[in-house]
Amino acid sequence: MTKLSICIPVETAAPDVLALVAMLLEKQSNDFEIVIAKPADVALPKGVVELAAGGANISIADAAAGAARQHLWRQAAQAAKGDWVALINPSDIVESDLATMVAFLETTSPNVDALAWNAFQIDRHAEPGKASSIAIPANYHIETFDKTAMLKAFFYWENSLNVPKMPFGLYHAAIRRSLLDVLLQLPEPQDWSTPSPQYEWAAKVLLFANELAFCARPMSAIDIVPLAAQPPLHPWNFPFHSGIGLAGAVAEVQFHVLRELDTPWSGASEAFVRALMIDCMMETDREAFKTKGNAYFAALQAFEGGHLAPVFRPEYHEIRQRDERRGLHDGVLLIDRFIAGARDAREFYRTVRLMLAPIGLICGGALYTKDNRAA
């Protein structure tokens, strides 16, 4: 029985996918499969096709030609056969021993159906000397998270930055087969689209999961890709969308997921406005800052009588302060982003993995509750 399906959506001809598949297959095991979903008009690298034909644990699922990212992700999830399912992009990397961890969870906490972890965010275009340090958590326990607190953090934007603090979902997270089947029974979106389906899956996982577990040990690395902004692709009068920025993209997804469940979006709060301001303040180009700020201000004016618009006052900072510290600080180990010459997410993870607690050690212990008492 396949314990874990690692889904990889391939939107265009992506040479990165061959290197990713090769790295995942370095661990010869039958407890996980690789599911590659692609539009029918996209060709995979020859090496990937040969590996699949040669008996490797690889399945290839074709979606309709020109399929949008949102539908491609769903196609990947539908094709997965594992007891647990996770999804990463071709230029990312995920821990090859993840199957061991989800099997451990099944034994120690059978009600857990959603697992998340810390994921490194790596910009392959960063320049040495101009990038902040990367934090490695010193803790590696698996904890249970309170679902009510996570609902508030995601849908009410409590203590958020430009996006809510919500690691659960399908992207760089894992969900159990029982939960996946529930989510796939929900109607597929027909009247709206998003370039950020990770937040669609995050919203639905959070709403329908029974129990959430989080591992402090980083289990993957993300190759940061700028938001592919697009105008709203829906007929609904909702002013926040990905064409403005990432915070708008998340709000748009929240609105539509809740709308499909006949629930009104209630994220409009001062915490949400703060997230919009942070989204603006992340721009280091003044014109981009002004364009985004004006768009968010206009959206706030158009929403519910504009009562939150006066709260929106972002400040422009051309130069952002970098954290260049090294060593152990406040429970995290700060290291050089370019350690051992690492250029991208995969190189960084392969190096840092040597510093991380082995999965066997973590799964040999007890599941911890949020206050770190053994469950």
Side-chain angles (χ1 to χ4, degrees):
M1 177 68 74
T2 302
K3 184 56 60 182
L4 172 70
S5 295
I6 300 175
C7 297
I8 307 172
V10 177
E11 299 178 34
T12 59
D16 280 346
V17 72
L18 177 57
L20 172 58
V21 167
M23 288 178 66
L24 292 174
L25 291 178
E26 287 176 359
K27 179 189 176 187
Q28 297 298 321
S29 173
N30 292 321
D31 58 1
F32 74 88
E33 66 166 353
I34 298 170
V35 179
I36 300 174
K38 67 178 188 67
D41 55 344
V42 170
L44 292 173
K46 182 179 178 182
V48 174
V49 177
E50 290 175 346
L51 284 169
N57 293 341
I58 301 173
S59 62
I60 300 173
D62 278 342
R69 180 179 302 169
Q70 192 173 17
H71 301 296
L72 195 60
W73 283 35
R74 186 180 178 93
Q75 179 75 16
Q78 288 175 324
K81 299 181 177 65
D83 296 338
W84 291 76
V85 181
L87 183 145
I88 62 174
N89 284 326
S91 54
D92 300 338
I93 185 63
V94 69
E95 174 62 54
S96 57
D97 285 332
L98 179 58
T100 301
M101 181 169 288
V102 295
F104 167 74
L105 280 176
E106 288 180 348
T107 301
T108 59
S109 190
N111 289 328
V112 167
D113 50 5
L115 170 68
W117 53 81
N118 281 307
F120 295 117
Q121 305 270 342
I122 302 298
D123 181 359
R124 67 168 66 195
H125 301 295
E127 299 179 38
K130 296 184 179 181
S132 296
S133 301
I134 299 293
I136 303 177
N139 180 14
Y140 55 79
H141 293 124
I142 305 173
E143 305 174 356
T144 56
F145 271 28
D146 179 66
K147 181 172 174 176
T148 300
M150 293 309 303
L151 286 166
K152 291 180 179 179
F154 184 70
F155 287 103
Y156 292 95
W157 301 73
E158 289 190 357
N159 302 313
S160 73
L161 295 177
N162 64 322
V163 295
K165 294 181 178 179
M166 221 299 287
F168 299 94
L170 184 66
Y171 182 62
H172 287 264
I175 58 176
R176 204 165 183 166
R177 166 63 51 183
S178 55
L179 176 56
L180 177 65
D181 289 343
V182 169
L183 300 185
L184 290 177
Q185 289 174 11
L186 299 175
E188 184 172 3
Q190 299 293 333
D191 56 0
W192 65 280
S193 183
T194 174
S196 304
Q198 62 265 41
Y199 298 109
E200 177 192 355
W201 283 91
K204 292 177 179 178
V205 165
L206 187 54
L207 288 169
F208 288 91
N210 290 318
E211 191 169 332
L212 311 170
F214 180 83
C215 181
R217 179 202 191 270
M219 300 285 287
S220 60
I222 299 171
D223 177 40
I224 298 175
V225 178
L227 173 68
Q230 65 181 34
L233 299 178
H234 58 80
W236 305 91
N237 184 24
F238 187 72
F240 306 102
H241 55 83
S242 64
I244 306 177
L246 186 55
V250 177
E252 181 182 34
V253 167
Q254 292 175 343
F255 169 79
H256 285 295
V257 169
L258 293 173
R259 177 183 62 82
E260 290 171 344
L261 299 173
D262 294 323
T263 302
W265 183 76
S266 54
S269 63
E270 291 194 9
F272 173 59
V273 177
R274 184 182 64 246
L276 300 184
M277 290 193 293
I278 294 173
D279 202 16
C280 293
M281 293 165 65
M282 295 181 75
E283 298 289 348
T284 55
D285 177 80
R286 183 175 290 276
E287 287 305 312
F289 169 84
K290 289 172 60 178
T291 299
K292 182 179 286 188
N294 288 336
Y296 275 140
F297 185 70
L300 286 167
Q301 286 183 311
F303 188 73
E304 293 184 344
H307 69 286
L308 286 173
V311 183
F312 181 76
R313 295 185 178 184
E315 297 180 1
Y316 175 68
H317 298 281
E318 184 176 2
I319 300 176
R320 282 176 287 176
Q321 196 171 29
R322 297 192 304 270
D323 188 346
E324 298 178 346
R325 294 176 298 169
R326 300 289 187 270
L328 194 61
H329 298 273
D330 300 324
V332 297
L333 177 65
L334 298 175
I335 66 169
D336 182 10
R337 150 68 181 87
F338 297 93
I339 186 170
R343 296 166 298 174
D344 56 27
R346 288 202 290 264
E347 290 181 358
F348 182 85
Y349 188 81
R350 294 196 76 164
T351 299
V352 173
R353 188 176 188 267
L354 301 174
M355 309 178 191
L356 301 176
I359 301 301
L361 172 65
I362 299 173
C363 296
L367 179 69
Y368 274 61
T369 59
K370 192 173 182 181
D371 59 1
N372 271 0
R373 294 176 299 181

